[in-house]
Amino acid sequence: MHDDIEAVLLSEAAIHRRLDELARRITADYDDGQPLSVVALLNGSIPFLADLLRRIPLPLRVESLRVSSYQGRASRGTVRFHEPALPEVCGRRVLLVDDILDTGETLRAVQERFTAEAGASDLRTCVLLRKERQIPPRAQADYVAFSIPDRFVVGYGLDCDGLYRNLPYIGVLREERAP
Ligand code: IMP
Ligand code: MG
Protein backbone atom coordinates (compact mmCIF):
# COMPACT_ATOMS: atom_id res chain seq x y z
CA MET A 1 0.00 0.00 0.00
CA HIS A 2 1.18 3.56 -0.77
CA ASP A 3 2.57 5.40 2.30
CA ASP A 4 0.10 8.29 1.88
CA ILE A 5 -2.92 5.99 2.11
CA GLU A 6 -4.51 5.48 5.52
CA ALA A 7 -6.71 2.54 4.50
CA VAL A 8 -7.78 0.74 1.35
CA LEU A 9 -11.51 1.18 0.94
CA LEU A 10 -12.00 -0.82 -2.27
CA SER A 11 -9.43 -3.30 -3.49
CA GLU A 12 -8.63 -3.78 -7.16
CA ALA A 13 -10.37 -7.18 -7.09
CA ALA A 14 -13.51 -5.75 -5.44
CA ILE A 15 -13.70 -2.97 -8.06
CA HIS A 16 -13.38 -5.42 -10.93
CA ARG A 17 -15.98 -7.80 -9.50
CA ARG A 18 -18.47 -4.97 -9.13
CA LEU A 19 -17.76 -3.69 -12.66
CA ASP A 20 -18.69 -7.13 -14.02
CA GLU A 21 -22.15 -6.76 -12.42
CA LEU A 22 -22.63 -3.11 -13.35
CA ALA A 23 -21.63 -3.71 -16.98
CA ARG A 24 -24.07 -6.62 -17.22
CA ARG A 25 -26.88 -4.36 -16.05
CA ILE A 26 -25.97 -1.53 -18.42
CA THR A 27 -25.66 -3.99 -21.31
CA ALA A 28 -29.10 -5.47 -20.56
CA ASP A 29 -30.69 -2.00 -20.26
CA TYR A 30 -29.35 -0.74 -23.61
CA ASP A 31 -29.43 -3.98 -25.59
CA ASP A 32 -31.80 -3.06 -28.43
CA GLY A 33 -29.35 -2.71 -31.33
CA GLN A 34 -29.16 1.11 -31.17
CA PRO A 35 -25.72 2.61 -30.53
CA LEU A 36 -24.89 4.24 -27.22
CA SER A 37 -22.71 7.34 -26.76
CA VAL A 38 -20.67 7.11 -23.59
CA VAL A 39 -19.47 10.56 -22.50
CA ALA A 40 -16.62 10.41 -19.99
CA LEU A 41 -15.99 13.31 -17.65
CA LEU A 42 -12.22 13.72 -17.54
CA ASN A 43 -9.83 13.20 -15.93
CA GLY A 44 -11.23 11.25 -12.99
CA SER A 45 -13.23 8.70 -14.94
CA ILE A 46 -10.38 7.39 -17.14
CA PRO A 47 -9.62 4.03 -15.42
CA PHE A 48 -13.30 3.40 -14.66
CA LEU A 49 -14.26 4.18 -18.26
CA ALA A 50 -11.59 1.90 -19.72
CA ASP A 51 -12.54 -1.04 -17.49
CA LEU A 52 -16.29 -0.53 -17.88
CA LEU A 53 -16.29 -0.13 -21.69
CA ARG A 54 -14.46 -3.38 -22.25
CA ARG A 55 -17.24 -5.18 -20.40
CA ILE A 56 -20.07 -3.74 -22.51
CA PRO A 57 -20.41 -5.63 -25.82
CA LEU A 58 -22.82 -3.15 -27.46
CA PRO A 59 -22.33 -0.81 -30.43
CA LEU A 60 -21.03 2.31 -28.72
CA ARG A 61 -19.16 5.56 -29.25
CA VAL A 62 -16.88 7.19 -26.71
CA GLU A 63 -16.75 10.95 -26.22
CA SER A 64 -15.24 13.03 -23.45
CA LEU A 65 -15.67 16.31 -21.69
CA ARG A 66 -13.13 17.90 -19.38
CA VAL A 67 -14.70 19.47 -16.31
CA SER A 68 -13.44 20.26 -12.83
CA SER A 69 -14.92 21.48 -9.60
CA TYR A 70 -12.33 20.64 -7.02
CA GLN A 71 -9.02 22.10 -5.96
CA GLY A 72 -7.16 19.85 -3.53
CA ARG A 73 -9.64 18.53 -0.99
CA ALA A 74 -12.29 21.21 -1.10
CA SER A 75 -15.08 21.61 -3.60
CA ARG A 76 -14.98 25.04 -5.22
CA GLY A 77 -18.70 24.79 -5.74
CA THR A 78 -18.40 26.01 -9.30
CA VAL A 79 -18.00 23.74 -12.27
CA ARG A 80 -15.50 24.66 -14.95
CA PHE A 81 -15.91 23.39 -18.53
CA HIS A 82 -12.45 23.30 -20.09
CA GLU A 83 -13.73 23.22 -23.68
CA PRO A 84 -16.49 25.49 -25.00
CA ALA A 85 -18.39 22.83 -27.00
CA LEU A 86 -20.16 19.67 -25.91
CA PRO A 87 -19.53 16.40 -27.79
CA GLU A 88 -21.74 15.81 -30.86
CA VAL A 89 -24.57 13.61 -29.57
CA CYS A 90 -27.67 15.06 -31.23
CA GLY A 91 -30.41 12.40 -31.48
CA ARG A 92 -28.23 9.84 -29.68
CA ARG A 93 -28.57 8.02 -26.38
CA VAL A 94 -26.02 9.31 -23.89
CA LEU A 95 -24.53 7.73 -20.80
CA LEU A 96 -22.46 10.23 -18.79
CA VAL A 97 -19.68 8.55 -16.82
CA ASP A 98 -17.95 10.19 -13.84
CA ASP A 99 -15.71 9.06 -11.02
CA ILE A 100 -17.67 10.30 -8.01
CA LEU A 101 -20.94 11.93 -7.04
CA ASP A 102 -20.19 14.13 -4.03
CA THR A 103 -22.17 17.38 -3.78
CA GLY A 104 -23.64 16.60 -7.20
CA GLU A 105 -22.73 20.07 -8.55
CA THR A 106 -20.63 18.62 -11.36
CA LEU A 107 -23.21 16.16 -12.64
CA ARG A 108 -25.97 18.71 -12.27
CA ALA A 109 -24.09 21.34 -14.31
CA VAL A 110 -23.26 18.77 -17.00
CA GLN A 111 -26.82 17.38 -17.10
CA GLU A 112 -28.22 20.92 -17.40
CA ARG A 113 -25.93 21.77 -20.31
CA PHE A 114 -26.70 18.51 -22.11
CA THR A 115 -30.42 19.00 -21.64
CA ALA A 116 -30.29 22.60 -22.87
CA GLU A 117 -27.81 22.24 -25.74
CA ALA A 118 -27.02 18.68 -26.83
CA GLY A 119 -30.27 17.28 -28.20
CA ALA A 120 -29.62 13.76 -26.92
CA SER A 121 -32.58 11.38 -27.24
CA ASP A 122 -31.94 9.97 -23.76
CA LEU A 123 -29.57 11.04 -20.97
CA ARG A 124 -28.46 8.83 -18.09
CA THR A 125 -25.55 8.94 -15.69
CA CYS A 126 -23.17 6.37 -14.25
CA VAL A 127 -20.71 6.96 -11.41
CA LEU A 128 -18.10 4.76 -9.83
CA LEU A 129 -18.65 6.17 -6.33
CA ARG A 130 -21.38 7.99 -4.48
CA LYS A 131 -20.56 9.58 -1.14
CA GLU A 132 -23.01 9.06 1.70
CA ARG A 133 -23.47 12.67 2.75
CA GLN A 134 -25.76 14.39 5.27
CA ILE A 135 -26.96 16.86 2.66
CA PRO A 136 -28.57 15.15 -0.35
CA PRO A 137 -26.62 15.61 -3.60
CA ARG A 138 -27.88 18.06 -6.21
CA ALA A 139 -27.99 15.37 -8.91
CA GLN A 140 -28.83 11.68 -9.07
CA ALA A 141 -27.01 8.91 -10.90
CA ASP A 142 -28.83 6.07 -12.68
CA TYR A 143 -25.95 3.64 -12.17
CA VAL A 144 -23.70 3.62 -9.08
CA ALA A 145 -20.94 1.08 -8.57
CA PHE A 146 -20.30 1.79 -4.85
CA SER A 147 -21.63 3.99 -2.04
CA ILE A 148 -18.81 5.10 0.25
CA PRO A 149 -18.50 7.02 3.55
CA ASP A 150 -17.93 10.78 3.38
CA ARG A 151 -14.11 10.61 3.39
CA PHE A 152 -11.61 12.05 0.92
CA VAL A 153 -10.51 9.16 -1.28
CA VAL A 154 -7.94 8.79 -4.04
CA GLY A 155 -6.88 6.14 -6.54
CA TYR A 156 -8.40 4.43 -9.58
CA GLY A 157 -8.82 7.83 -11.26
CA LEU A 158 -9.49 9.95 -8.20
CA ASP A 159 -6.85 12.53 -7.40
CA CYS A 160 -5.58 15.03 -4.90
CA ASP A 161 -4.06 17.93 -6.86
CA GLY A 162 -3.58 15.65 -9.85
CA LEU A 163 -1.78 12.87 -7.97
CA TYR A 164 -2.69 9.26 -7.05
CA ARG A 165 -4.94 8.60 -10.09
CA ASN A 166 -2.76 5.63 -11.02
CA LEU A 167 -3.31 3.64 -7.82
CA PRO A 168 -5.17 0.44 -8.79
CA TYR A 169 -7.37 0.59 -5.65
CA ILE A 170 -9.38 3.30 -3.86
CA GLY A 171 -8.04 4.45 -0.52
CA VAL A 172 -8.53 7.11 2.13
CA LEU A 173 -5.80 9.76 1.90
CA ARG A 174 -3.92 10.55 5.14
CA GLU A 175 -4.91 13.92 6.62
CA GLU A 176 -1.30 15.15 6.67
CA ARG A 177 -1.04 14.69 2.88
CA ALA A 178 -3.57 17.43 2.30
CA PRO A 179 -2.25 20.07 -0.09
P1 IMP B 1 -19.27 17.14 -6.90
O1 IMP B 1 -19.41 18.17 -7.96
O2 IMP B 1 -19.16 17.75 -5.51
O3 IMP B 1 -20.27 16.03 -6.96
O4 IMP B 1 -17.85 16.52 -7.07
C1 IMP B 1 -17.54 15.75 -8.11
C2 IMP B 1 -16.08 15.90 -8.45
O5 IMP B 1 -15.29 16.28 -7.31
C3 IMP B 1 -15.60 14.58 -8.90
O6 IMP B 1 -15.67 14.45 -10.30
C4 IMP B 1 -14.18 14.55 -8.38
O7 IMP B 1 -13.32 15.04 -9.35
C5 IMP B 1 -14.15 15.47 -7.18
N1 IMP B 1 -14.21 14.75 -5.88
C6 IMP B 1 -15.25 14.67 -5.02
N2 IMP B 1 -14.95 13.93 -3.95
C7 IMP B 1 -13.68 13.51 -4.13
C8 IMP B 1 -12.78 12.67 -3.35
O8 IMP B 1 -13.08 12.14 -2.26
N3 IMP B 1 -11.56 12.46 -3.90
C9 IMP B 1 -11.16 13.00 -5.07
N4 IMP B 1 -11.96 13.76 -5.84
C10 IMP B 1 -13.20 14.03 -5.36
MG1 MG C 1 -13.55 14.64 -11.46
Side-chain angles (χ1 to χ4, degrees), residues 41-68:
L41 305 190
L42 303 182
N43 295 322
S45 70
I46 292 172
F48 176 41
L49 173 81
D51 286 337
L52 187 67
L53 284 187
R54 284 176 292 175
R55 289 170 164 81
I56 303 178
L58 297 174
L60 63 77
R61 298 183 172 90
V62 186
E63 308 283 353
S64 63
L65 189 63
R66 188 153 175 247
V67 290
S68 55

Short mmCIF file of all heavy atoms in Angstrom, two decimals, residues 41-68:
data_model
loop_
_atom_site.label_atom_id
_atom_site.label_comp_id
_atom_site.label_asym_id
_atom_site.label_seq_id
_atom_site.Cartn_x
_atom_site.Cartn_y
_atom_site.Cartn_z
N LEU A 41 -16.44 12.05 -18.23
CA LEU A 41 -15.99 13.31 -17.65
C LEU A 41 -14.54 13.11 -17.19
O LEU A 41 -14.25 12.25 -16.36
CB LEU A 41 -16.89 13.72 -16.47
CG LEU A 41 -18.38 13.82 -16.81
CD1 LEU A 41 -19.15 14.47 -15.68
CD2 LEU A 41 -18.62 14.59 -18.10
N LEU A 42 -13.66 13.89 -17.79
CA LEU A 42 -12.22 13.72 -17.54
C LEU A 42 -11.77 14.68 -16.44
O LEU A 42 -12.37 15.72 -16.28
CB LEU A 42 -11.44 14.02 -18.82
CG LEU A 42 -11.83 13.16 -20.04
CD1 LEU A 42 -10.96 13.52 -21.23
CD2 LEU A 42 -11.71 11.68 -19.73
N ASN A 43 -10.69 14.35 -15.70
CA ASN A 43 -9.83 13.20 -15.93
C ASN A 43 -10.19 12.01 -15.03
O ASN A 43 -9.70 10.89 -15.26
CB ASN A 43 -8.36 13.59 -15.61
CG ASN A 43 -7.83 14.62 -16.56
OD1 ASN A 43 -8.11 14.61 -17.73
ND2 ASN A 43 -7.03 15.54 -16.03
N GLY A 44 -11.02 12.24 -14.05
CA GLY A 44 -11.23 11.25 -12.99
C GLY A 44 -11.80 9.93 -13.44
O GLY A 44 -11.60 8.91 -12.80
N SER A 45 -12.54 9.93 -14.56
CA SER A 45 -13.23 8.70 -14.94
C SER A 45 -12.40 7.79 -15.85
O SER A 45 -12.90 6.75 -16.28
CB SER A 45 -14.56 9.05 -15.64
OG SER A 45 -14.30 9.61 -16.90
N ILE A 46 -11.15 8.14 -16.13
CA ILE A 46 -10.38 7.39 -17.14
C ILE A 46 -10.24 5.89 -16.82
O ILE A 46 -10.61 5.06 -17.66
CB ILE A 46 -9.00 8.06 -17.40
CG1 ILE A 46 -9.20 9.40 -18.10
CG2 ILE A 46 -8.09 7.16 -18.24
CD1 ILE A 46 -7.93 10.24 -18.25
N PRO A 47 -9.74 5.48 -15.66
CA PRO A 47 -9.62 4.03 -15.42
C PRO A 47 -10.98 3.32 -15.38
O PRO A 47 -11.13 2.24 -15.94
CB PRO A 47 -8.93 3.94 -14.05
CG PRO A 47 -8.33 5.28 -13.82
CD PRO A 47 -9.19 6.26 -14.54
N PHE A 48 -11.94 3.97 -14.75
CA PHE A 48 -13.30 3.40 -14.66
C PHE A 48 -13.87 3.21 -16.06
O PHE A 48 -14.39 2.14 -16.41
CB PHE A 48 -14.16 4.36 -13.83
CG PHE A 48 -15.61 4.00 -13.69
CD1 PHE A 48 -16.01 2.69 -13.49
CD2 PHE A 48 -16.58 4.99 -13.74
CE1 PHE A 48 -17.36 2.36 -13.34
CE2 PHE A 48 -17.93 4.67 -13.60
CZ PHE A 48 -18.32 3.36 -13.41
N LEU A 49 -13.76 4.24 -16.89
CA LEU A 49 -14.26 4.18 -18.26
C LEU A 49 -13.63 3.02 -19.02
O LEU A 49 -14.34 2.21 -19.64
CB LEU A 49 -13.94 5.50 -18.97
CG LEU A 49 -14.26 5.53 -20.46
CD1 LEU A 49 -15.74 5.80 -20.66
CD2 LEU A 49 -13.43 6.57 -21.19
N ALA A 50 -12.30 2.93 -18.95
CA ALA A 50 -11.59 1.90 -19.72
C ALA A 50 -12.02 0.50 -19.28
O ALA A 50 -12.27 -0.37 -20.12
CB ALA A 50 -10.09 2.07 -19.55
N ASP A 51 -12.16 0.29 -17.98
CA ASP A 51 -12.54 -1.04 -17.49
C ASP A 51 -14.01 -1.34 -17.75
O ASP A 51 -14.37 -2.48 -18.02
CB ASP A 51 -12.22 -1.16 -16.00
CG ASP A 51 -10.72 -1.29 -15.75
OD1 ASP A 51 -10.00 -1.72 -16.68
OD2 ASP A 51 -10.27 -0.97 -14.64
N LEU A 52 -14.85 -0.32 -17.66
CA LEU A 52 -16.29 -0.53 -17.88
C LEU A 52 -16.59 -0.82 -19.36
O LEU A 52 -17.30 -1.77 -19.70
CB LEU A 52 -17.05 0.71 -17.41
CG LEU A 52 -18.58 0.62 -17.39
CD1 LEU A 52 -19.04 -0.37 -16.33
CD2 LEU A 52 -19.20 1.99 -17.15
N LEU A 53 -16.02 0.01 -20.25
CA LEU A 53 -16.29 -0.13 -21.69
C LEU A 53 -15.99 -1.52 -22.22
O LEU A 53 -16.73 -2.06 -23.03
CB LEU A 53 -15.39 0.83 -22.48
CG LEU A 53 -15.74 2.29 -22.50
CD1 LEU A 53 -14.82 2.99 -23.48
CD2 LEU A 53 -17.20 2.48 -22.89
N ARG A 54 -14.88 -2.07 -21.74
CA ARG A 54 -14.46 -3.38 -22.25
C ARG A 54 -15.35 -4.50 -21.76
O ARG A 54 -15.22 -5.63 -22.19
CB ARG A 54 -12.99 -3.62 -21.89
CG ARG A 54 -12.08 -2.81 -22.79
CD ARG A 54 -10.65 -2.96 -22.41
NE ARG A 54 -10.39 -2.35 -21.12
CZ ARG A 54 -9.23 -2.42 -20.49
NH1 ARG A 54 -8.24 -3.08 -21.03
NH2 ARG A 54 -9.07 -1.81 -19.34
N ARG A 55 -16.28 -4.18 -20.88
CA ARG A 55 -17.24 -5.18 -20.40
C ARG A 55 -18.62 -4.99 -21.03
O ARG A 55 -19.56 -5.69 -20.65
CB ARG A 55 -17.37 -5.07 -18.88
CG ARG A 55 -16.16 -5.56 -18.12
CD ARG A 55 -16.29 -5.18 -16.64
NE ARG A 55 -15.38 -5.91 -15.77
CZ ARG A 55 -14.10 -5.61 -15.59
NH1 ARG A 55 -13.56 -4.61 -16.24
NH2 ARG A 55 -13.36 -6.34 -14.77
N ILE A 56 -18.77 -4.01 -21.91
CA ILE A 56 -20.07 -3.74 -22.51
C ILE A 56 -20.02 -4.06 -24.02
O ILE A 56 -19.54 -3.25 -24.81
CB ILE A 56 -20.50 -2.25 -22.29
CG1 ILE A 56 -20.51 -1.93 -20.80
CG2 ILE A 56 -21.86 -1.96 -22.93
CD1 ILE A 56 -20.87 -0.49 -20.47
N PRO A 57 -20.54 -5.22 -24.41
CA PRO A 57 -20.41 -5.63 -25.82
C PRO A 57 -21.53 -5.09 -26.71
O PRO A 57 -22.17 -5.84 -27.45
CB PRO A 57 -20.46 -7.16 -25.72
CG PRO A 57 -21.31 -7.43 -24.52
CD PRO A 57 -21.15 -6.28 -23.58
N LEU A 58 -21.76 -3.78 -26.66
CA LEU A 58 -22.82 -3.15 -27.46
C LEU A 58 -22.16 -2.23 -28.48
O LEU A 58 -21.02 -1.81 -28.29
CB LEU A 58 -23.72 -2.29 -26.56
CG LEU A 58 -24.50 -2.99 -25.46
CD1 LEU A 58 -25.22 -1.95 -24.60
CD2 LEU A 58 -25.52 -3.97 -26.06
N PRO A 59 -22.89 -1.84 -29.55
CA PRO A 59 -22.33 -0.81 -30.43
C PRO A 59 -22.27 0.51 -29.65
O PRO A 59 -23.31 0.99 -29.18
CB PRO A 59 -23.33 -0.73 -31.59
CG PRO A 59 -24.59 -1.35 -31.09
CD PRO A 59 -24.23 -2.29 -29.98
N LEU A 60 -21.09 1.04 -29.47
CA LEU A 60 -21.03 2.31 -28.72
C LEU A 60 -19.92 3.23 -29.20
O LEU A 60 -18.93 2.79 -29.79
CB LEU A 60 -20.97 2.09 -27.21
CG LEU A 60 -19.82 1.38 -26.51
CD1 LEU A 60 -18.60 2.26 -26.39
CD2 LEU A 60 -20.28 0.96 -25.11
N ARG A 61 -20.15 4.53 -28.95
CA ARG A 61 -19.16 5.56 -29.25
C ARG A 61 -18.66 6.11 -27.93
O ARG A 61 -19.42 6.13 -26.95
CB ARG A 61 -19.79 6.71 -30.05
CG ARG A 61 -20.33 6.30 -31.40
CD ARG A 61 -20.86 7.52 -32.15
NE ARG A 61 -21.22 7.17 -33.52
CZ ARG A 61 -22.43 6.74 -33.89
NH1 ARG A 61 -23.41 6.64 -33.00
NH2 ARG A 61 -22.66 6.43 -35.15
N VAL A 62 -17.43 6.59 -27.93
CA VAL A 62 -16.88 7.19 -26.71
C VAL A 62 -16.54 8.65 -26.98
O VAL A 62 -15.85 8.96 -27.96
CB VAL A 62 -15.61 6.47 -26.23
CG1 VAL A 62 -15.16 7.02 -24.89
CG2 VAL A 62 -15.85 4.98 -26.12
N GLU A 63 -17.05 9.52 -26.14
CA GLU A 63 -16.75 10.95 -26.22
C GLU A 63 -16.23 11.37 -24.85
O GLU A 63 -16.36 10.62 -23.89
CB GLU A 63 -18.02 11.77 -26.52
CG GLU A 63 -18.81 11.30 -27.71
CD GLU A 63 -18.18 11.70 -29.03
OE1 GLU A 63 -17.20 12.46 -29.02
OE2 GLU A 63 -18.68 11.23 -30.07
N SER A 64 -15.70 12.58 -24.77
CA SER A 64 -15.24 13.03 -23.45
C SER A 64 -15.48 14.51 -23.28
O SER A 64 -15.69 15.25 -24.25
CB SER A 64 -13.76 12.71 -23.28
OG SER A 64 -13.01 13.43 -24.23
N LEU A 65 -15.43 14.91 -22.04
CA LEU A 65 -15.67 16.31 -21.69
C LEU A 65 -14.81 16.58 -20.47
O LEU A 65 -14.89 15.84 -19.49
CB LEU A 65 -17.15 16.47 -21.34
CG LEU A 65 -17.70 17.87 -21.14
CD1 LEU A 65 -17.58 18.67 -22.43
CD2 LEU A 65 -19.16 17.79 -20.71
N ARG A 66 -13.99 17.62 -20.53
CA ARG A 66 -13.13 17.90 -19.38
C ARG A 66 -13.79 18.95 -18.49
O ARG A 66 -14.07 20.06 -18.92
CB ARG A 66 -11.75 18.35 -19.85
CG ARG A 66 -10.81 18.45 -18.71
CD ARG A 66 -9.36 18.26 -19.09
NE ARG A 66 -8.61 18.51 -17.87
CZ ARG A 66 -7.80 19.54 -17.70
NH1 ARG A 66 -7.53 20.38 -18.67
NH2 ARG A 66 -7.21 19.73 -16.54
N VAL A 67 -14.08 18.55 -17.28
CA VAL A 67 -14.70 19.47 -16.31
C VAL A 67 -13.96 19.33 -14.98
O VAL A 67 -13.38 18.30 -14.70
CB VAL A 67 -16.20 19.13 -16.06
CG1 VAL A 67 -17.05 19.44 -17.25
CG2 VAL A 67 -16.40 17.70 -15.62
N SER A 68 -14.01 20.39 -14.18
CA SER A 68 -13.44 20.26 -12.83
C SER A 68 -14.20 21.15 -11.86
O SER A 68 -14.75 22.17 -12.24
CB SER A 68 -11.95 20.59 -12.82
OG SER A 68 -11.73 21.86 -13.35
#
